[in-house]
Amino acid sequence: MAMFQPHLETCPICGSIGNCHIHDYYGRSIIDFQAGKREKSDLCVMRVFCDSCEHAHAILPDVIIPYSSYSLLFILRLLGQYFAGRFTIEQLCERYQISTKQFYKWLALWKSHKQEWLGILSDLDTSDVSFLRSIILLDSFSSFAMRFILHFAHSFLQSHRNPIPASLKNAQYHQKVFAPDISIF
């Protein structure tokens, strides 16, 4: 975020260049899993405002799933361990301090988004482990995240889709580069 320069950005709503400025900041909590334990962190999220169309935009890094308290890496770690067969579902739920209902919700979301991305036939030929490895080993996770949202109008593993008003149908999606520095398996 230290390198983010809002005055150089293109507004994703109206497409104007150079009309965004820092509007405000808000606090947000995110749950992750690091060094074998669950941890909650507080983040400061920047919002920019476009003077041209008068829309505000939150600047979220790739690890944040919109409207979720859990980080993308939290969910990918959990699913990676499940796909690798290292733990039972009950053990995973206890370890990550989540309910079995939440686990199955994420698993169903994973399967749905995997099938959306790959298509039905490729989904059948691609194991969950293989697909997970392919997305976490990308040079830039952002390129996958950006293509996913452009195709489906929601972020990868986002649990609900926001209705897109007609005025936003042509809006562009923008994320900064993120390269995972963790081992999922």
Side-chain angles (χ1 to χ4, degrees):
M1 291 308 301
M3 298 182 329
F4 182 75
Q5 298 179 14
H7 61 280
L8 299 177
E9 294 296 320
T10 301
C11 175
I13 303 297
C14 69
S16 68
I17 299 171
N19 289 313
C20 292
H21 64 273
I22 296 174
H23 179 60
D24 63 4
Y25 297 87
Y26 65 91
R28 177 169 175 176
S29 296
I30 192 159
I31 299 169
D32 204 348
F33 193 85
Q34 298 197 12
K37 62 182 179 179
R38 179 179 159 138
E39 73 178 35
K40 184 176 179 179
S41 301
D42 292 322
L43 303 174
C44 182
V45 176
M46 176 194 302
R47 285 193 333 147
V48 297
F49 186 81
C50 175
D51 293 323
S52 178
C53 66
E54 299 184 347
H55 279 92
H57 312 284
I59 309 301
L60 300 176
D62 291 341
V63 294
I64 295 178
I65 300 170
Y67 310 104
S68 175
S69 298
Y70 295 90
S71 77
L72 176 66
L73 296 179
F74 181 98
I75 298 170
L76 294 180
R77 280 185 187 97
L78 171 75
L79 292 174
Q81 290 181 352
Y82 170 72
F83 297 143
R86 291 189 175 173
F87 301 97
T88 66
I89 293 170
E90 291 77 20
Q91 290 170 325
L92 285 170
C93 291
E94 184 178 327
R95 183 170 194 225
Y96 284 83
Q97 300 172 25
I98 62 165
S99 68
T100 54
K101 182 179 178 179
Q102 182 64 63
F103 172 82
Y104 284 113
K105 179 181 173 183
W106 285 335
L107 183 60
L109 192 59
W110 166 268
K111 291 186 178 296
S112 170
H113 287 189
K114 177 182 170 234
Q115 186 178 69
E116 278 182 307
W117 183 252
L118 296 175
I120 293 172
L121 294 178
S122 291
D123 178 45
L124 293 173
D125 289 338
T126 306
S127 72
D128 290 313
V129 169
S130 176
F131 182 61
L132 181 56
R133 282 191 176 147
S134 73
I135 62 174
I136 64 167
L137 295 176
L138 291 169
D139 288 336
S140 168
F141 177 79
S142 287
S143 62
F144 166 76
M146 184 168 47
R147 289 191 321 266
F148 191 91
I149 201 166
L150 285 172
H151 281 51
F152 305 111
H154 58 91
S155 293
F156 186 64
L157 296 182
Q158 181 178 343
S159 64
H160 69 281
R161 296 180 181 148
N162 297 329
I164 301 175
S167 64
L168 303 182
K169 290 285 186 197
N170 294 322
Q172 297 298 306
Y173 182 70
H174 178 76
Q175 276 185 300
K176 292 293 179 192
V177 172
F178 168 71
D181 60 353
I182 53 99
S183 172
I184 298 294
F185 299 99

